Amino acid sequence: MSSTVSGKSGTWRNWAGNVTARPAREVSPASVEELSDVVRRAAEDGLRVKPVGTGHSFTAVAATDGVLVRPDLLTGIRRIDREGGTVTVEAGTPLKRLNVALAREGLSLTNMGDIMEQTVSGATSTGTHGTGRDSASIAAQIKGLELVTADGSVLTCSEKENPEVFAAARTGLGALGVISAITFAVEPIFLLSAREEPMSFDEVTNSFDELVTENEHFEFYWFPHTGNCNTKRNNRSAGPERPVGALRGFFEDEFLSNGVFQVASQVGRAVPATIPAIARISSRALSARTYTDIPYKVFTSPRRVRFTEMEYAVPRAALVETLRELKAMVDRSRLRVSFPVEVRTAPADDITLSTASGRDSAYIAVHMFRGTPYQAYFSAAEHIFTAHEGRPHWGKVHTRDAEYLAGAYPRFGEFTELRDRLDPERRFGNDYLRRVLGA
């Protein structure tokens, strides 16, 4: 029991540094039994409970003044079912460790986001996604969940067992319980060929539909204050493996994308007038390249420059118009934006509060370097996104509330009814959930 009875408490901060919390106590349960005990004891003490992963959310979705559950000891693979094509992992397992462990076993997830620092439960609970024509978010690859509910009991759910909980809890915002384990669909490891190349903004937007249709995974970055984009197409390959060379990888992924970009962002923050010139240079710094490697080495990349982010999902058919409006807004404003805008896609899925729930979606992510005022830019961008029926990413900055979200999600009421049933006393509540889900 000693592992759960950690009286330690202090100030918790998220990765971006824009959210802080002072929990009454922090605990690190080492098993599902200990996690159940944590929840029961919190109820006895009248405290709320929130699990935190690695703090990669930009919202206060994990903040609490009650019991902060750190999943550091709930890690690792429980079992691999090669016949069924699944792997069951403890909820606190970082995606990075899962990807490496699966590769060692000759397995892989079908799709993933571009960052792998998050825990599996943190990533899926907030709807983390990559880009894909046919393959959807990480949560859409879940086949089963183990959930500790408000009374400390353990609930297992899948398409066959507690299906209504399964539909909601895959992207459950931590509102329905604390996830203790996740079963993912996996497949034999495969190779992806990546083709990265610069294109103009007009070229990309004029041929966006073809680029999405012709590639399994297409994404691009637009550099504000320029007409320049960098595109990336990932498609399955028969091989051979041709990874990025160590020297080129260091130069482009570390030196340019992280080192030089960090310095350029600091200069831009100190002297905003320099940003358009820096953007023109940096948008031309990365040249075209192709490489072939195992999935996680192609999908993910290091992100060492810290930032604040807002991302909205809009109907895929509305992407080009939405992005053109965003560009026009930046061009006519006095804003100075040093970070590129990221665009990705996802097919419709059947998860109650997934940003792609029931509709083919495109994502537009806007970023600001950490420490730079972002409110004016994000507010203007959000105004454009919401005019196109945008749904905010649950783990990224936004100002939407339950009233707006009830209109944006056809199954919103289904989720809140389930929450009333599973957590009537709001044991897993906090201020953020009160805003987005209602009282």
Side-chain angles (χ1 to χ4, degrees):
M1 268 309 300
S2 58
S3 60
T4 68
V5 189
S6 147
K8 193 176 75 159
S9 68
T11 301
W12 173 83
R13 277 185 181 78
N14 68 339
W15 179 82
N18 67 318
V19 176
T20 57
R22 288 194 65 83
R25 61 176 182 250
E26 290 184 23
V27 297
S28 299
S31 66
V32 66
E33 293 79 16
E34 290 187 1
L35 180 56
S36 294
D37 193 59
V38 164
V39 173
R40 277 193 288 267
R41 288 189 53 203
E44 287 164 16
D45 297 341
L47 295 172
R48 295 189 292 187
V49 180
K50 289 311 289 177
V52 296
T54 51
H56 254 270
S57 288
F58 301 88
T59 61
V61 66
T64 188
D65 55 3
V67 179
L68 189 82
V69 180
R70 291 193 177 273
D72 318 33
L73 303 179
L74 288 170
T75 61
I77 292 177
R78 274 193 197 177
R79 67 181 167 274
I80 293 171
D81 176 358
R82 289 181 186 276
E83 212 174 302
T86 63
V87 60
T88 301
V89 289
E90 304 285 348
T93 309
L95 283 166
K96 183 168 24 182
R97 279 178 55 191
L98 174 63
N99 286 333
V100 171
L102 286 176
R104 208 179 291 132
E105 296 285 344
L107 299 167
S108 176
L109 292 170
T110 299
N111 198 357
M112 57 194 81
D114 56 4
I115 297 176
M116 54 175 180
E117 304 303 317
Q118 312 99 313
T119 61
V120 292
S121 57
T124 55
S125 293
T126 53
T128 297
H129 60 90
T131 190
R133 179 189 62 203
D134 313 305
S135 53
S137 70
I138 305 177
Q141 296 168 71
I142 293 177
K143 290 293 179 193
L145 281 175
E146 183 181 85
L147 192 70
V148 176
T149 57
D151 61 0
S153 60
V154 180
L155 189 71
T156 54
C157 56
S158 64
E159 281 179 1
K160 294 188 174 75
E161 195 177 3
N162 298 304
E164 74 294 349
V165 179
F166 182 66
R170 281 175 286 167
T171 297
L173 320 184
L176 305 175
V178 182
I179 294 171
S180 48
I182 298 176
T183 300
F184 289 105
V186 289
E187 58 176 302
I189 202 161
F190 53 93
L191 292 174
L192 280 176
S193 276
R195 177 176 156 202
E196 297 174 10
E197 66 175 328
M199 285 175 83
S200 74
F201 181 89
D202 290 340
E203 266 184 290
V204 178
T205 50
N206 288 337
S207 56
F208 177 71
D209 286 337
E210 294 98 280
L211 288 163
V212 170
T213 306
E214 289 164 9
N215 295 282
E216 290 173 71
H217 309 274
F218 175 71
E219 64 187 302
F220 68 95
Y221 294 87
W222 162 59
F223 293 81
H225 313 296
T226 79
N228 304 330
C229 294
N230 208 29
T231 63
K232 185 176 182 182
R233 304 159 213 218
N234 298 331
N235 290 288
R236 293 194 184 214
S237 164
E241 232 173 286
R242 283 206 180 91
V244 177
L247 190 61
R248 183 167 187 181
F250 172 78
F251 180 70
E252 293 180 340
D253 297 327
E254 287 294 347
F255 181 67
L256 286 181
S257 297
N258 285 298
V260 172
F261 190 49
Q262 173 88 25
V263 174
S265 297
Q266 287 167 337
V267 170
R269 183 172 64 190
V271 190
T274 61
I275 285 175
I278 291 171
R280 284 191 291 276
I281 296 164
S282 59
S283 68
R284 295 198 184 103
L286 293 169
S287 54
R289 65 176 182 175
T290 58
Y291 51 95
T292 302
D293 215 328
I294 58 174
Y296 82 85
K297 293 185 179 179
V298 174
F299 283 131
T300 70
S301 48
R303 289 277 187 278
R304 307 199 201 289
V305 182
R306 302 218 174 191
F307 52 83
T308 309
E309 180 178 1
M310 168 183 279
E311 182 182 64
Y312 266 75
V314 296
R316 210 187 87 184
L319 180 276
V320 171
E321 188 186 345
T322 309
L323 194 63
R324 284 177 178 151
E325 285 176 26
L326 184 70
K327 184 177 188 295
M329 180 275 289
V330 171
D331 288 347
R332 69 172 177 263
S333 74
R334 299 180 66 177
L335 294 167
R336 293 293 174 260
V337 182
S338 66
F339 253 84
V341 171
E342 184 180 24
V343 177
R344 295 175 287 176
T345 67
D349 64 41
D350 62 351
I351 302 171
T352 317
L353 290 187
S354 161
T355 44
S357 183
R359 73 181 190 194
D360 291 342
S361 300
Y363 296 90
I364 305 177
V366 297
H367 313 71
M368 274 293 210
F369 182 52
R370 186 162 81 164
T372 309
Y374 60 82
Q375 286 83 352
Y377 176 37
F378 284 13
S379 176
E382 189 171 43
H383 187 70
I384 293 166
F385 300 151
T386 54
H388 290 279
E389 299 175 10
R391 296 170 178 170
H393 188 300
W394 296 109
K396 297 177 186 179
V397 174
H398 68 93
T399 67
R400 300 297 90 188
D401 60 13
E403 188 184 0
Y404 174 89
L405 296 162
Y409 285 92
R411 297 171 68 185
F412 189 83
E414 190 183 313
F415 188 96
T416 54
E417 280 171 30
L418 181 65
R419 184 189 185 208
D420 288 342
R421 178 159 72 78
L422 288 179
D423 187 17
E425 293 180 7
R426 302 296 185 254
R427 183 69 49 222
F428 306 113
N430 63 9
D431 292 345
Y432 176 75
L433 293 182
R434 188 181 302 116
R435 170 161 71 88
V436 299
L437 296 176

